[in-house]
Amino acid sequence: MAEKILMKTPLVEMDGDEMTRIIWKMIKDILLTPYIDLKTEYYDLGLENRNATDDQVTVDSANATKKYGVAVKCATITPNAQRMEEYDLKQMWKSPNGTIRAILDGTVFRAPIIVKGITPFIPTWTKPITIARHAYGDVYKNTEMIVKQGSKAELVVTDENGNETRSLIHNFNGSDGIIQGLHNLDNSIASFAKACFNYALDIKQDVWFATKDTISKQYDHRFKDIFNEIYENEYKAKFEEAGIEYFYTLIDDAVARVVRSNGGYIWACKNYDGDVMSDMVATAYGSLGMMTSVLVSPDGVYEYEAAHGTVTRHYYKHLKGEETSTNSVATLFAWTGALRKRGELDNLPELMKFADDLEKATIQTIEDGVMTGDLVLLSNLENKRKVNTEEFLQEINNRLVQIRK
Ligand code: NAP
Ligand code: MG
């Protein structure tokens, strides 16, 4: 066998939970360590270790990501009441993704992996649509109230000198009702815009952004203005050089255009739009097992992961000794994404080539008709064969060996 590919800077490796933790180890054993002298700084974000370290391990892993610039993360359990009992937890620890995102100030980009034989519900979507969701503020950090008939509701802002500015929301004369207070921050919107523009330059795709600025003349308009200002001042020349575009429109027009499009761009969404549209787009492309996710910080730090969770139902089957057929593609592409980025930053063309080859081998496996159960249900290939979790990775390796010859 040829010499192993050497790395320079370590990758930050964040291990996780349940079925994805099983897959994590298989990917490393079958597809990575035989070929790469894998250099990682390992953080065990499995729920047991988060509990044992009072979740310090999550914070440490995020800080290491800041230091080294690239991380790869396994799916992790976000505890709820049932998990408190199952794992005998000291506390209902927060979502690791939330903690990491808060430290990195990042934006999440989700994109499907497209293969022949699996046609999206919108068949013209032949290229991936990458959704970027602004994960701060709006209705997710709101204040709401139920208002009794006869009440008057106002917006009141008190400045640092104690001066009040008031604006009437509504006089509730004829009926009880509801009100809601939302906010966002210029610097959060600016970070979001920069993350989108940087990522667009990284993957050489256009950016689409949309709000409802015709109706929301101050709130949504502020998003439009900040995006536009940053684009004009900092990115326009770079975009022209890269041959890509920034396109702004109204959200309803954007939805209509997205449906008619072929994909192949980044769709930057306000928080709520991103929540709704990412589920719509993911479902339309097929399986959760084929959806990748990368967190990009405004200063260019990258954390790669699968968009799906720990696939608990399959894990319980695995624990009972039953065979599983869990799709490892999104987790595998988290690894290839991270290795390619590491290779790019450290000028290691061999490592980048390996990432390309491994992705090619994976897609070829599925296009040859060898796939996990979730894809068998979706694929329109004539000859297809369902394999178990480990066989699927072995089949990829068989093809990887051929590609690398
Ligand atoms: P999930 O793990 O994404 O799985 C939901 C269902 O989707 C599975 O039961 C399975 O359907 C299908 N599925 C998802 N990924 C698949 C794959 N790779 N291969 C085949 N089928 C796949 O979501 P969940 O069951 O709601 O959540 C489980 C745990 O994951 C929770 O503790 C949650 O907190 C955590 N979670 C973590 C992250 C993250 O770390 N980023 C994200 C989401 C959820 P069938 O059962 O029908 O086969
Ligand atoms: Mg959602």
Side-chain angles (χ1 to χ4, degrees), residues 18 23 73-79 83 97 287-289 305-314 325-328 372 374:
E18 300 194 311
I23 287 174
K73 180 181 170 289
C74 180
T76 47
I77 292 169
T78 298
R83 300 292 197 173
N97 287 42
S287 170
L288 259 180
E305 65 171 328
H308 59 76
T310 59
V311 210
T312 310
R313 201 182 64 82
H314 296 211
S325 181
T326 313
N327 190 337
S328 48
T372 46
D374 56 323

Side-chain angles (χ1 to χ4, degrees), residues 10 35 59 90 140 142 161 176 197 218 220 235 249 253-254 288 290 299-301 323 328 361 369 374 383 399:
Y35 301 96
V59 174
K90 297 184 225 170
Y140 302 87
N142 71 351
N161 302 316
D176 293 353
F197 292 141
Q218 306 213 37
D220 275 22
Y235 290 92
T249 186
D253 180 53
L288 259 180
M290 300 292 276
D299 44 340
V301 163
E323 188 169 77
S328 48
D374 56 323
N383 294 308
R399 288 162 183 81

Side-chain angles (χ1 to χ4, degrees), residues 304-336:
Y304 294 83
E305 65 171 328
H308 59 76
T310 59
V311 210
T312 310
R313 201 182 64 82
H314 296 211
Y315 180 62
Y316 290 156
K317 272 177 75 177
H318 169 84
L319 287 182
K320 279 192 267 174
E322 291 171 32
E323 188 169 77
T324 58
S325 181
T326 313
N327 190 337
S328 48
V329 172
T331 304
L332 186 49
F333 273 59
W335 275 100
T336 53

Side-chain angles (χ1 to χ4, degrees), residues 133 140 274-279:
R133 172 177 171 189
Y140 302 87
D275 185 350
V276 176
M277 291 304 160
S278 64
D279 281 14

Side-chain angles (χ1 to χ4, degrees), residues 329-347:
V329 172
T331 304
L332 186 49
F333 273 59
W335 275 100
T336 53
L339 290 169
R340 185 185 296 105
K341 178 54 78 178
R342 196 65 270 169
E344 185 190 315
L345 295 175
D346 290 349
N347 192 21

Side-chain angles (χ1 to χ4, degrees), residues 26-322:
M26 285 183 184
I27 288 175
K28 287 174 66 180
D29 289 348
I30 299 170
L31 293 168
L32 301 178
T33 52
Y35 301 96
I36 307 171
D37 193 10
L38 199 62
K39 225 171 145 182
T40 73
E41 194 163 295
Y42 179 85
Y43 293 87
D44 182 1
L45 267 54
L47 186 50
E48 275 168 27
N49 193 47
R50 275 183 277 147
N51 191 52
T53 62
D54 293 336
D55 209 22
Q56 185 60 38
V57 66
T58 307
V59 174
D60 292 346
S61 73
N63 286 327
T65 305
K66 265 191 164 168
K67 176 176 165 195
Y68 293 116
V70 188
V72 56
K73 180 181 170 289
C74 180
T76 47
I77 292 169
T78 298
N80 55 17
Q82 184 238 321
R83 300 292 197 173
M84 293 283 290
E85 221 170 284
E86 183 182 355
Y87 283 83
D88 191 19
L89 300 180
K90 297 184 225 170
Q91 259 187 56
M92 204 184 285
W93 305 109
K94 283 194 233 155
S95 148
N97 287 42
T99 303
I100 294 165
R101 199 167 56 217
I103 292 172
L104 300 181
D105 180 26
T107 297
V108 175
F109 296 84
R110 284 180 161 209
I113 298 150
I114 295 186
V115 291
K116 285 193 204 91
I118 297 174
T119 309
F121 286 97
I122 298 181
T124 45
W125 287 359
T126 52
K127 290 179 273 183
I129 295 170
T130 301
I131 291 217
R133 172 177 171 189
H134 180 219
Y136 179 82
D138 301 349
V139 72
Y140 302 87
K141 272 210 186 297
N142 71 351
T143 308
E144 7 181 82
M145 278 186 211
I146 289 179
V147 180
K148 284 282 161 222
Q149 183 178 339
S151 311
K152 175 170 85 169
E154 293 174 296
L155 277 180
V156 182
V157 174
T158 313
D159 73 13
E160 55 190 358
N161 302 316
N163 304 316
E164 287 184 354
T165 309
R166 286 169 179 269
S167 182
L168 179 71
I169 296 172
H170 193 67
N171 273 313
F172 289 80
N173 293 328
S175 170
D176 293 353
I178 42 185
I179 59 167
Q180 184 177 55
L182 309 183
H183 82 278
N184 223 301
L185 301 172
D186 285 1
N187 60 12
S188 173
I189 300 166
S191 284
F192 176 53
K194 284 180 191 174
C196 292
F197 292 141
N198 283 339
Y199 194 60
L201 288 168
D202 198 25
I203 66 172
K204 303 270 181 296
Q205 290 186 0
D206 295 349
V207 174
W208 294 17
F209 182 49
T211 73
K212 195 71 185 177
D213 66 274
T214 46
I215 299 297
S216 174
K217 290 190 166 65
Q218 306 213 37
Y219 196 102
D220 275 22
H221 214 287
R222 188 90 192 122
F223 281 81
K224 177 184 178 181
D225 289 344
I226 289 174
F227 262 72
N228 195 51
E229 202 180 297
I230 290 176
Y231 176 70
E232 289 292 331
N233 294 339
E234 300 174 37
Y235 290 92
K236 195 171 182 196
K238 292 181 202 160
F239 267 49
E240 278 168 5
E241 200 181 316
I244 57 175
E245 278 179 13
Y246 169 55
F247 172 64
Y248 177 85
T249 186
L250 289 169
I251 185 67
D252 38 358
D253 180 53
V255 170
R257 286 171 187 265
V258 165
V259 170
R260 291 195 308 262
S261 78
N262 299 125
Y265 49 86
I266 296 167
W267 186 9
C269 291
K270 286 182 65 201
N271 208 349
Y272 178 83
D273 298 336
D275 185 350
V276 176
M277 291 304 160
S278 64
D279 281 14
M280 193 269 285
V281 168
T283 307
Y285 275 107
S287 170
L288 259 180
M290 300 292 276
M291 188 63 72
T292 63
S293 174
V294 53
L295 177 75
V296 183
S297 82
D299 44 340
V301 163
Y302 290 74
E303 184 233 85
Y304 294 83
E305 65 171 328
H308 59 76
T310 59
V311 210
T312 310
R313 201 182 64 82
H314 296 211
Y315 180 62
Y316 290 156
K317 272 177 75 177
H318 169 84
L319 287 182
K320 279 192 267 174
E322 291 171 32

